[in-house]
Amino acid sequence: VKAIRFSAGQAHVVENECILCGQCFAVCPQNAKQISWDLEKVRVMLVTSPVYASIAPSFAAAFPGIGIDALEDALQKLGFQAAEETAIGATIVKREYERILREEKPSLLLSSCCTSVNLLLRKHYPDILFALAPVVSPLQAHCDAIKQRHPEAKTVFIGPCIAKKREAQDDTLIDAVLSFEELREWLQAEHISLMPKADTRCGGNTRAFPTAGGILRTMERLPDYTYLAVDGMDACISVLEEIRA
């Protein structure tokens, strides 16, 4: 989104334009950008509170052959109380989308699941925010559900998305965010191995939320609506321009 400016020979990210897509981190030849780590913050939380992990569905790709039960075993060795799939929150969000379409019948509804797309809308397309679903993200919904069951709990999201770190800063329901890389290095440092085991829990079809078109594949289709999945920031911008026009 052209959120980088140059002055005095240095590149600077323009905060009120950045959507945390991570492109600057990926392409910078000098590795000038670093992703913030919450590891020490989480270690302190483990000493003072029961901590529950919300695991992104993409753990299946990050840790091949390892299910949610095996991940929970490893996290409990680190001191976590328990681990659950963020897909639990995705189910709550999906049902609310279906309710809005069925009962409120808006002419247009945009998913509110992706932090970067939400930032894109708020910072670059504020005039079409009316179309954004007034629904929390699956992560927020899951952390809220955990804290309703365990009021004293702290929640930690573990996943691949750096934008979730900003979501945690802006939301009191999410206490910290770890990347899969942080978790992997932490497990190695503690000499904890991930051991495959049969899962006793299933995340259901909302595990597909992070994939292209995954949200729509889980939803009840109403005959009055056309359903469109858009993948990639360029395509999102193209659609938002069409909506604006």
Side-chain angles (χ1 to χ4, degrees):
V1 292
K2 308 294 189 293
I4 296 177
R5 303 286 186 273
F6 288 87
S7 63
Q10 292 290 320
H12 302 276
V13 173
V14 183
E15 184 66 24
N16 63 357
E17 295 181 15
C18 174
I19 61 170
L20 294 172
C21 66
Q23 280 293 90
C24 59
F25 174 80
V27 304
C28 179
Q30 298 177 353
N31 297 316
K33 298 294 290 181
Q34 296 295 321
I35 298 171
S36 62
W37 282 46
D38 281 353
L39 209 48
E40 288 309 313
K41 179 180 179 181
V42 174
R43 283 186 169 127
V44 171
M45 284 164 43
L46 290 173
V47 174
T48 59
S49 307
V51 181
Y52 289 75
S54 177
I55 311 291
S58 45
F59 75 83
F63 304 99
I66 300 299
I68 186 64
D69 285 352
L71 263 181
E72 182 177 62
D73 285 352
L75 287 165
Q76 286 175 332
K77 290 176 183 176
L78 292 173
F80 284 77
Q81 189 76 18
E84 299 177 355
E85 294 191 49
T86 315
I88 294 171
T91 300
I92 297 169
V93 167
K94 182 218 38 147
R95 288 172 181 164
E96 182 60 10
Y97 286 159
E98 291 171 341
R99 186 201 65 77
I100 290 172
L101 293 175
R102 187 171 55 250
E103 297 179 8
E104 300 179 18
K105 298 180 172 58
S107 60
L108 177 68
L109 192 72
L110 299 176
S111 157
S112 54
C113 289
C114 174
T115 303
S116 285
V117 172
N118 287 345
L119 289 171
L120 177 69
L121 267 164
R122 291 187 170 92
K123 294 182 177 184
H124 297 272
Y125 297 90
D127 50 318
I128 55 175
L129 270 173
F130 70 88
L132 184 65
V135 183
V136 297
S137 71
L139 172 56
Q140 291 168 317
H142 186 212
C143 289
D144 185 37
I146 290 172
K147 290 189 174 186
Q148 286 187 33
R149 283 182 275 128
H150 310 284
E152 75 290 355
K154 298 290 186 181
T155 54
V156 176
F157 175 68
I158 304 176
C161 178
I162 64 169
K164 288 297 182 186
K165 288 182 178 283
R166 171 59 57 83
E167 187 174 325
Q169 290 175 9
D170 297 339
D171 194 296
T172 57
L173 292 170
I174 312 159
D175 295 296
V177 171
L178 297 178
S179 66
F180 285 138
E181 181 184 359
E182 286 174 274
L183 176 59
R184 195 175 287 110
E185 291 196 13
W186 190 7
L187 291 171
Q188 289 174 352
E190 298 293 335
H191 306 291
I192 297 172
S193 299
L194 291 168
M195 305 299 293
K197 63 181 292 188
D199 268 352
T200 58
R201 296 169 288 173
C202 176
N205 63 1
T206 49
R207 276 181 172 173
F209 254 50
T211 63
I215 297 172
L216 300 187
R217 287 200 301 274
T218 72
M219 290 179 62
E220 171 195 0
R221 299 295 186 100
L222 300 177
D224 295 338
Y225 284 97
T226 298
Y227 293 79
L228 176 67
V230 184
D231 185 29
M233 197 55 69
D234 289 343
C236 286
I237 289 172
S238 177
V239 167
L240 294 176
E241 290 288 351
E242 288 189 31
I243 293 171
R244 172 179 276 171

PDB file of all heavy atoms in Angstrom, residues 50-68:
ATOM      1  N   PRO A  50      -3.006 -19.112  34.952  1.00  0.00           N
ATOM      2  CA  PRO A  50      -3.259 -20.232  34.046  1.00  0.00           C
ATOM      3  C   PRO A  50      -3.347 -19.692  32.615  1.00  0.00           C
ATOM      4  O   PRO A  50      -4.092 -18.734  32.353  1.00  0.00           O
ATOM      5  CB  PRO A  50      -4.605 -20.793  34.518  1.00  0.00           C
ATOM      6  CG  PRO A  50      -5.253 -19.659  35.250  1.00  0.00           C
ATOM      7  CD  PRO A  50      -4.163 -18.813  35.823  1.00  0.00           C
ATOM      8  N   VAL A  51      -2.587 -20.264  31.698  1.00  0.00           N
ATOM      9  CA  VAL A  51      -2.500 -19.747  30.334  1.00  0.00           C
ATOM     10  C   VAL A  51      -3.036 -20.788  29.357  1.00  0.00           C
ATOM     11  O   VAL A  51      -2.620 -21.957  29.391  1.00  0.00           O
ATOM     12  CB  VAL A  51      -1.041 -19.390  29.971  1.00  0.00           C
ATOM     13  CG1 VAL A  51      -0.974 -18.829  28.550  1.00  0.00           C
ATOM     14  CG2 VAL A  51      -0.479 -18.384  30.968  1.00  0.00           C
ATOM     15  N   TYR A  52      -3.955 -20.361  28.499  1.00  0.00           N
ATOM     16  CA  TYR A  52      -4.557 -21.221  27.487  1.00  0.00           C
ATOM     17  C   TYR A  52      -4.085 -20.778  26.107  1.00  0.00           C
ATOM     18  O   TYR A  52      -4.049 -19.582  25.806  1.00  0.00           O
ATOM     19  CB  TYR A  52      -6.083 -21.155  27.556  1.00  0.00           C
ATOM     20  CG  TYR A  52      -6.664 -21.823  28.776  1.00  0.00           C
ATOM     21  CD1 TYR A  52      -6.576 -21.217  30.027  1.00  0.00           C
ATOM     22  CD2 TYR A  52      -7.297 -23.062  28.695  1.00  0.00           C
ATOM     23  CE1 TYR A  52      -7.092 -21.817  31.166  1.00  0.00           C
ATOM     24  CE2 TYR A  52      -7.829 -23.674  29.828  1.00  0.00           C
ATOM     25  CZ  TYR A  52      -7.721 -23.054  31.058  1.00  0.00           C
ATOM     26  OH  TYR A  52      -8.240 -23.668  32.187  1.00  0.00           O
ATOM     27  N   ALA A  53      -3.733 -21.738  25.265  1.00  0.00           N
ATOM     28  CA  ALA A  53      -3.267 -21.444  23.919  1.00  0.00           C
ATOM     29  C   ALA A  53      -4.392 -21.626  22.910  1.00  0.00           C
ATOM     30  O   ALA A  53      -5.133 -22.612  22.967  1.00  0.00           O
ATOM     31  CB  ALA A  53      -2.090 -22.353  23.551  1.00  0.00           C
ATOM     32  N   SER A  54      -4.508 -20.666  22.007  1.00  0.00           N
ATOM     33  CA  SER A  54      -5.405 -20.776  20.855  1.00  0.00           C
ATOM     34  C   SER A  54      -4.529 -21.025  19.636  1.00  0.00           C
ATOM     35  O   SER A  54      -3.714 -20.175  19.260  1.00  0.00           O
ATOM     36  CB  SER A  54      -6.209 -19.481  20.688  1.00  0.00           C
ATOM     37  OG  SER A  54      -7.028 -19.538  19.534  1.00  0.00           O
ATOM     38  N   ILE A  55      -4.664 -22.201  19.028  1.00  0.00           N
ATOM     39  CA  ILE A  55      -3.753 -22.627  17.962  1.00  0.00           C
ATOM     40  C   ILE A  55      -4.400 -22.439  16.599  1.00  0.00           C
ATOM     41  O   ILE A  55      -5.483 -22.966  16.330  1.00  0.00           O
ATOM     42  CB  ILE A  55      -3.354 -24.110  18.126  1.00  0.00           C
ATOM     43  CG1 ILE A  55      -2.906 -24.393  19.562  1.00  0.00           C
ATOM     44  CG2 ILE A  55      -2.266 -24.479  17.129  1.00  0.00           C
ATOM     45  CD1 ILE A  55      -1.609 -23.773  19.960  1.00  0.00           C
ATOM     46  N   ALA A  56      -3.744 -21.699  15.713  1.00  0.00           N
ATOM     47  CA  ALA A  56      -4.254 -21.472  14.366  1.00  0.00           C
ATOM     48  C   ALA A  56      -4.375 -22.794  13.612  1.00  0.00           C
ATOM     49  O   ALA A  56      -3.527 -23.686  13.763  1.00  0.00           O
ATOM     50  CB  ALA A  56      -3.331 -20.533  13.600  1.00  0.00           C
ATOM     51  N   PRO A  57      -5.407 -22.948  12.772  1.00  0.00           N
ATOM     52  CA  PRO A  57      -5.591 -24.199  12.023  1.00  0.00           C
ATOM     53  C   PRO A  57      -4.397 -24.575  11.160  1.00  0.00           C
ATOM     54  O   PRO A  57      -4.188 -25.752  10.881  1.00  0.00           O
ATOM     55  CB  PRO A  57      -6.822 -23.911  11.148  1.00  0.00           C
ATOM     56  CG  PRO A  57      -7.545 -22.832  11.861  1.00  0.00           C
ATOM     57  CD  PRO A  57      -6.502 -21.982  12.515  1.00  0.00           C
ATOM     58  N   SER A  58      -3.595 -23.594  10.767  1.00  0.00           N
ATOM     59  CA  SER A  58      -2.443 -23.880   9.900  1.00  0.00           C
ATOM     60  C   SER A  58      -1.322 -24.606  10.628  1.00  0.00           C
ATOM     61  O   SER A  58      -0.267 -24.874  10.034  1.00  0.00           O
ATOM     62  CB  SER A  58      -1.918 -22.580   9.286  1.00  0.00           C
ATOM     63  OG  SER A  58      -1.825 -21.568  10.259  1.00  0.00           O
ATOM     64  N   PHE A  59      -1.535 -24.965  11.904  1.00  0.00           N
ATOM     65  CA  PHE A  59      -0.524 -25.789  12.589  1.00  0.00           C
ATOM     66  C   PHE A  59      -0.296 -27.100  11.834  1.00  0.00           C
ATOM     67  O   PHE A  59       0.787 -27.693  11.899  1.00  0.00           O
ATOM     68  CB  PHE A  59      -0.933 -26.073  14.040  1.00  0.00           C
ATOM     69  CG  PHE A  59      -2.018 -27.101  14.229  1.00  0.00           C
ATOM     70  CD1 PHE A  59      -1.726 -28.458  14.232  1.00  0.00           C
ATOM     71  CD2 PHE A  59      -3.338 -26.720  14.419  1.00  0.00           C
ATOM     72  CE1 PHE A  59      -2.729 -29.419  14.402  1.00  0.00           C
ATOM     73  CE2 PHE A  59      -4.342 -27.657  14.590  1.00  0.00           C
ATOM     74  CZ  PHE A  59      -4.043 -29.008  14.584  1.00  0.00           C
ATOM     75  N   ALA A  60      -1.324 -27.539  11.091  1.00  0.00           N
ATOM     76  CA  ALA A  60      -1.197 -28.801  10.344  1.00  0.00           C
ATOM     77  C   ALA A  60      -0.098 -28.709   9.293  1.00  0.00           C
ATOM     78  O   ALA A  60       0.540 -29.718   8.951  1.00  0.00           O
ATOM     79  CB  ALA A  60      -2.530 -29.148   9.689  1.00  0.00           C
ATOM     80  N   ALA A  61       0.119 -27.494   8.747  1.00  0.00           N
ATOM     81  CA  ALA A  61       1.190 -27.303   7.766  1.00  0.00           C
ATOM     82  C   ALA A  61       2.522 -26.998   8.441  1.00  0.00           C
ATOM     83  O   ALA A  61       3.583 -27.394   7.958  1.00  0.00           O
ATOM     84  CB  ALA A  61       0.826 -26.169   6.814  1.00  0.00           C
ATOM     85  N   ALA A  62       2.470 -26.291   9.578  1.00  0.00           N
ATOM     86  CA  ALA A  62       3.691 -25.912  10.282  1.00  0.00           C
ATOM     87  C   ALA A  62       4.328 -27.099  10.999  1.00  0.00           C
ATOM     88  O   ALA A  62       5.559 -27.178  11.122  1.00  0.00           O
ATOM     89  CB  ALA A  62       3.384 -24.800  11.281  1.00  0.00           C
ATOM     90  N   PHE A  63       3.477 -28.028  11.467  1.00  0.00           N
ATOM     91  CA  PHE A  63       3.975 -29.204  12.196  1.00  0.00           C
ATOM     92  C   PHE A  63       3.353 -30.457  11.575  1.00  0.00           C
ATOM     93  O   PHE A  63       2.403 -31.030  12.136  1.00  0.00           O
ATOM     94  CB  PHE A  63       3.626 -29.108  13.676  1.00  0.00           C
ATOM     95  CG  PHE A  63       4.134 -27.857  14.350  1.00  0.00           C
ATOM     96  CD1 PHE A  63       3.298 -26.768  14.557  1.00  0.00           C
ATOM     97  CD2 PHE A  63       5.454 -27.767  14.758  1.00  0.00           C
ATOM     98  CE1 PHE A  63       3.750 -25.614  15.169  1.00  0.00           C
ATOM     99  CE2 PHE A  63       5.934 -26.612  15.373  1.00  0.00           C
ATOM    100  CZ  PHE A  63       5.083 -25.527  15.569  1.00  0.00           C
ATOM    101  N   PRO A  64       3.832 -30.889  10.424  1.00  0.00           N
ATOM    102  CA  PRO A  64       3.220 -32.023   9.708  1.00  0.00           C
ATOM    103  C   PRO A  64       3.136 -33.279  10.570  1.00  0.00           C
ATOM    104  O   PRO A  64       4.091 -33.639  11.259  1.00  0.00           O
ATOM    105  CB  PRO A  64       4.172 -32.241   8.522  1.00  0.00           C
ATOM    106  CG  PRO A  64       4.851 -30.927   8.332  1.00  0.00           C
ATOM    107  CD  PRO A  64       4.993 -30.339   9.708  1.00  0.00           C
ATOM    108  N   GLY A  65       1.974 -33.913  10.544  1.00  0.00           N
ATOM    109  CA  GLY A  65       1.780 -35.160  11.276  1.00  0.00           C
ATOM    110  C   GLY A  65       1.481 -34.983  12.747  1.00  0.00           C
ATOM    111  O   GLY A  65       1.293 -35.965  13.475  1.00  0.00           O
ATOM    112  N   ILE A  66       1.428 -33.731  13.211  1.00  0.00           N
ATOM    113  CA  ILE A  66       1.179 -33.457  14.626  1.00  0.00           C
ATOM    114  C   ILE A  66      -0.233 -32.898  14.794  1.00  0.00           C
ATOM    115  O   ILE A  66      -0.603 -31.909  14.155  1.00  0.00           O
ATOM    116  CB  ILE A  66       2.205 -32.451  15.188  1.00  0.00           C
ATOM    117  CG1 ILE A  66       3.621 -33.008  15.050  1.00  0.00           C
ATOM    118  CG2 ILE A  66       1.901 -32.113  16.635  1.00  0.00           C
ATOM    119  CD1 ILE A  66       3.868 -34.297  15.805  1.00  0.00           C
ATOM    120  N   GLY A  67      -1.042 -33.534  15.649  1.00  0.00           N
ATOM    121  CA  GLY A  67      -2.406 -33.088  15.884  1.00  0.00           C
ATOM    122  C   GLY A  67      -2.490 -32.157  17.075  1.00  0.00           C
ATOM    123  O   GLY A  67      -1.490 -31.878  17.752  1.00  0.00           O
ATOM    124  N   ILE A  68      -3.696 -31.698  17.363  1.00  0.00           N
ATOM    125  CA  ILE A  68      -3.890 -30.742  18.449  1.00  0.00           C
ATOM    126  C   ILE A  68      -3.570 -31.368  19.805  1.00  0.00           C
ATOM    127  O   ILE A  68      -3.033 -30.706  20.709  1.00  0.00           O
ATOM    128  CB  ILE A  68      -5.336 -30.175  18.434  1.00  0.00           C
ATOM    129  CG1 ILE A  68      -5.505 -29.072  19.481  1.00  0.00           C
ATOM    130  CG2 ILE A  68      -6.369 -31.284  18.626  1.00  0.00           C
ATOM    131  CD1 ILE A  68      -4.672 -27.840  19.248  1.00  0.00           C
TER     132      ILE A  68
END
